[in-house]
Amino acid sequence: MRAAIFKAVGVPLAIETVPDPEPGEGEVVVRIARCGVCGTDLHSTSAHGYTLPAGSRLGHEYAGEVVAVGKGVERLKLGDKLAAMPVVGCGRCEYCRTGIDILCREYKGYGGGAAEFTRTAERGATLLPATVSLADGALIEPLAVGRRGVRLADPQPDSRVLVIGPGPIGLAVLFWLRRAGVKRIATLASSKRRKALAETMGATAFVVEGEGAAAEIEAALGGPPDIVFEAAGVPGVVARAIELVRPQGSIIALGFCTAPEPIVPAVALMKDVNLRFCIIYTREDFEDCARALEADAEAARAMVTETVGLDAFPTAFEDFRAGAVGAGKLMLDPWG
Ligand SMILES: [Zn+2]
Ligand SMILES: [Zn+2]
């Protein structure tokens, strides 16, 4: 089969022919229908830290169809359509019991979705409802990140909410805020590039960072935000969220920032701020997203602005890194 392989920082991905995957115990092989690209893929192929070893396969946001079933698999069968969590825990420890498998000490990574086929564990698989397409199913993983963040913030319809960074994670947050019926949602961005997309996904105001941005946000929301989502993942944004949030407000930090963040604790303390970091999702969030897509696939689909085949993928991936493709998500269709 063909797969996208990471070679080295600064070198485009290579499309190579590699052995077809075989299912191990408790595993299935999935024929990939779509695989999304996100900021984590960019980080892990850059020199920012958390860099993948050379030869790694990319892709952790995918949906596909089961084409081979390993020993001990009970719930899945050939032809099942699924989305899969990219990390699967032991299933027995206290962290696995919280549903957040990535906290498990023995977790195993299953990615490799940027390929024609990949292998995954039954434990990480969520079956797609019959009415959800494979293309939409690939949105479950990124939507689940937003799902948990919004769940932790528990916004009410009259909450004043700010989302910093309308990239893939920020868009997923907007999707869930809109579903929660939140009426006042401002988005803060470094440029106007994603304005139309953020508004389509549910933002009621779009503010470009700069002098006067705080006043603009307050005017749009009718006061300083009760809740700020940090979805930009660059240094300085948590500090900015502390500045912008109202006293006793909440900050949910979702951005994968790999550089030091210069916050002044006294500023946060003087406002009695509740700052919460949030690592991906629970298994239940993943399943909630599958159900949400049954009702709301069209709204979620707006996140996708570019779909390419494997041959075009390495170039599209670098264009995505440079911000030179569509404002939303880049998707791979390995058979397209
Ligand atoms: Zn991702
Ligand atoms: Zn565990």
Side-chain angles (χ1 to χ4, degrees):
M1 68 151 185
R2 298 202 309 151
I5 313 280
F6 171 64
K7 298 304 228 185
V9 170
V11 177
L13 301 174
I15 304 303
E16 293 183 354
T17 299
V18 297
D20 288 344
E22 301 276 346
E25 192 162 347
E27 295 177 346
V28 295
V29 171
V30 179
R31 182 188 191 270
I32 305 293
R34 287 288 192 288
C35 179
V37 175
C38 81
T40 315
D41 297 307
L42 301 181
H43 273 297
S44 62
T45 55
S46 73
H48 299 171
Y50 297 89
T51 308
L52 289 169
S56 297
R57 297 190 196 165
L58 245 69
H60 60 272
E61 303 182 355
Y62 67 84
E65 193 177 327
V66 175
V67 292
V69 177
K71 254 196 245 164
V73 169
E74 288 167 0
R75 189 167 54 91
L76 300 176
K77 56 180 191 318
L78 291 179
D80 278 349
K81 294 182 170 63
L82 57 79
M85 298 199 302
V87 163
V88 174
C90 71
R92 300 176 305 273
C93 73
E94 60 179 309
Y95 299 111
C96 284
R97 283 197 297 274
T98 69
I100 305 179
D101 282 31
I102 200 167
L103 300 176
C104 174
R105 284 188 164 194
E106 294 171 39
Y107 83 72
K108 278 169 86 174
Y110 285 96
E116 291 173 336
F117 299 94
T118 196
R119 197 166 57 88
T120 194
E122 180 175 42
R123 175 175 165 83
T126 289
L127 289 173
L128 300 188
T131 57
V132 174
S133 72
L134 284 166
D136 293 336
L139 292 170
I140 288 176
E141 203 277 350
L143 285 175
V145 177
R147 167 72 185 152
R148 177 151 181 263
V150 171
R151 201 161 53 70
L152 291 174
D154 193 23
Q156 304 303 304
D158 61 352
S159 296
R160 298 185 299 261
V161 179
L162 175 67
V163 179
I164 306 181
I169 293 175
L171 295 174
V173 167
L174 290 172
F175 174 86
W176 286 103
L177 290 172
R178 190 189 53 82
R179 275 182 71 82
V182 178
K183 294 191 286 286
R184 294 176 291 187
I185 311 168
T187 304
L188 180 63
S190 56
S191 78
K192 273 194 164 159
R193 186 169 159 244
R194 293 187 164 116
K195 182 173 191 287
L197 185 53
E199 286 167 354
T200 303
M201 295 297 295
T204 55
F206 190 94
V207 177
V208 175
E209 184 58 288
E211 212 184 311
E216 250 185 272
I217 291 163
E218 288 197 24
L221 296 177
D226 303 305
I227 301 165
V228 179
F229 291 92
E230 190 292 280
V234 293
V237 178
V238 174
R240 184 65 166 139
I242 291 169
E243 254 170 56
L244 294 170
V245 75
R246 74 157 163 85
Q248 297 195 311
S250 294
I251 297 167
I252 307 287
L254 297 157
F256 192 73
C257 176
T258 54
E261 163 68 45
I263 71 164
V264 178
V267 177
L269 180 145
M270 291 301 287
K271 287 175 98 170
D272 204 27
V273 164
N274 176 25
L275 170 58
R276 176 67 152 94
F277 289 87
C278 173
I279 171 72
I280 58 172
Y281 35 73
T282 64
R283 303 158 61 73
E284 213 172 358
D285 291 323
F286 216 78
E287 273 156 28
D288 279 352
C289 290
R291 286 190 289 272
L293 282 174
E294 280 194 282
D296 229 356
E298 204 181 318
R301 214 175 284 146
M303 291 168 75
V304 179
T305 48
E306 185 103 3
T307 303
V308 299
L310 265 175
D311 290 320
F313 187 61
T315 303
F317 189 83
E318 294 311 316
D319 288 350
F320 179 69
R321 189 193 301 281
V325 283
K329 286 192 78 72
L330 168 65
M331 281 281 174
L332 167 68
D333 170 0
W335 307 93

